[in-house]
Amino acid sequence: MMHFFCSEDLQIPLGLSKAFPDIQLLDLAPAANVSSATSIVWFHLRPGQTVAQQMQTLKQKMPSAYFVGMSDLPNDMEALAVFSLMAKGYCNTHAGAEVLLNIAGVIQQGGVWIGESLMQKLLGMPPAPPQLEVVAETWSGVLTGRETEVAKAIAVGASNKQIATQMGITERTVKAHVGAVLDKLKLKNRLQLALLVKDR
């Protein structure tokens, strides 16, 4: 299996170089030739762009590759956004070679690498109360158009600042919308909201 690293501003991290000595930088230029062999693309998540925007370009370039998001500051919301777009893994940009080899091994066996923190939250999340099951079927019908737009942006990992820019409103207004959405859907946090939205 071939390995590629994609980043606008980073050279190949030391851990990746040690784990996969033959790893190559992925050239996203339209004319660049890329091997059609089964590959894992390790991509560096950049601030200022949603995960969806970044992965769209990668999937166009290498539609049959497996993708692993690498974050300088990993967090559960970003991880959820990565997995909602069918990536196979998510880890720290500076993870050690042993961890990266484990991730690759899990992916090659058809699995998905989910960090311990997110896994605990997903497993520890209490079952939805009966009224939430009804809401889940038509969650967007409970919300205003603006609230629905905010909810969908959260599901792809957008921050309040990114949502404000995208919608042409203030961050304070975004926070108000988020609060209203959580209240109407009887959810505790953005992670639960993202899980609800991405599954519908």
Side-chain angles (χ1 to χ4, degrees):
M1 181 171 287
M2 298 189 68
H3 294 267
F4 294 90
F5 178 66
C6 181
S7 175
E8 285 189 350
D9 49 9
L10 280 185
Q11 292 300 311
I12 297 172
L14 183 60
L16 278 174
S17 295
K18 285 185 175 180
F20 314 108
D22 296 332
I23 193 168
Q24 301 171 35
L25 278 170
L26 180 60
D27 186 351
L28 293 178
N33 291 324
V34 180
S35 170
S36 59
T38 304
S39 308
I40 295 179
V41 176
W42 307 78
F43 67 99
H44 181 231
L45 290 157
R46 302 181 298 278
Q49 272 193 314
T50 66
V51 176
Q53 289 170 328
Q54 294 177 63
M55 283 197 66
Q56 181 179 12
T57 304
L58 290 170
K59 286 184 173 182
Q60 287 173 348
K61 186 74 175 178
M62 300 185 71
S64 61
Y66 299 119
F67 298 99
V68 179
M70 304 187 82
S71 178
D72 295 338
L73 296 169
N75 65 78
D76 294 339
M77 285 304 301
E78 187 177 64
L80 191 62
V82 168
F83 290 121
S84 74
L85 293 163
M86 307 308 291
K88 292 293 185 179
Y90 175 79
C91 65
N92 193 302
T93 305
H94 306 290
E98 186 176 343
V99 171
L100 298 171
L101 285 166
N102 286 338
I103 294 172
V106 167
I107 292 171
Q108 284 178 278
Q109 292 174 24
V112 175
W113 182 274
I114 297 178
E116 186 176 343
S117 169
L118 181 61
M119 179 64 80
Q120 286 177 345
K121 287 187 178 179
L122 293 177
L123 293 177
M125 198 173 285
Q131 67 268 26
L132 182 56
E133 292 176 6
V134 175
V135 170
E137 294 302 319
T138 58
W139 66 267
S140 61
V142 179
L143 308 178
T144 66
R146 281 296 212 184
E147 289 166 353
T148 299
E149 196 175 342
V150 168
K152 288 180 178 179
I154 287 172
V156 296
S159 67
N160 284 356
K161 186 174 182 179
Q162 290 171 330
I163 296 171
T165 302
Q166 176 184 321
M167 295 177 63
I169 57 180
T170 65
E171 285 188 63
R172 186 173 180 176
T173 303
V174 173
K175 288 178 184 177
H177 283 316
V178 172
V181 169
L182 295 177
D183 185 56
K184 287 182 178 181
L185 299 181
K186 300 180 178 9
L187 301 173
K188 292 180 180 178
N189 52 49
R190 292 166 75 106
L191 179 58
Q192 287 186 335
L193 173 60
L195 284 168
L196 174 67
V197 173
K198 86 177 188 63
D199 285 339
R200 301 295 165 200

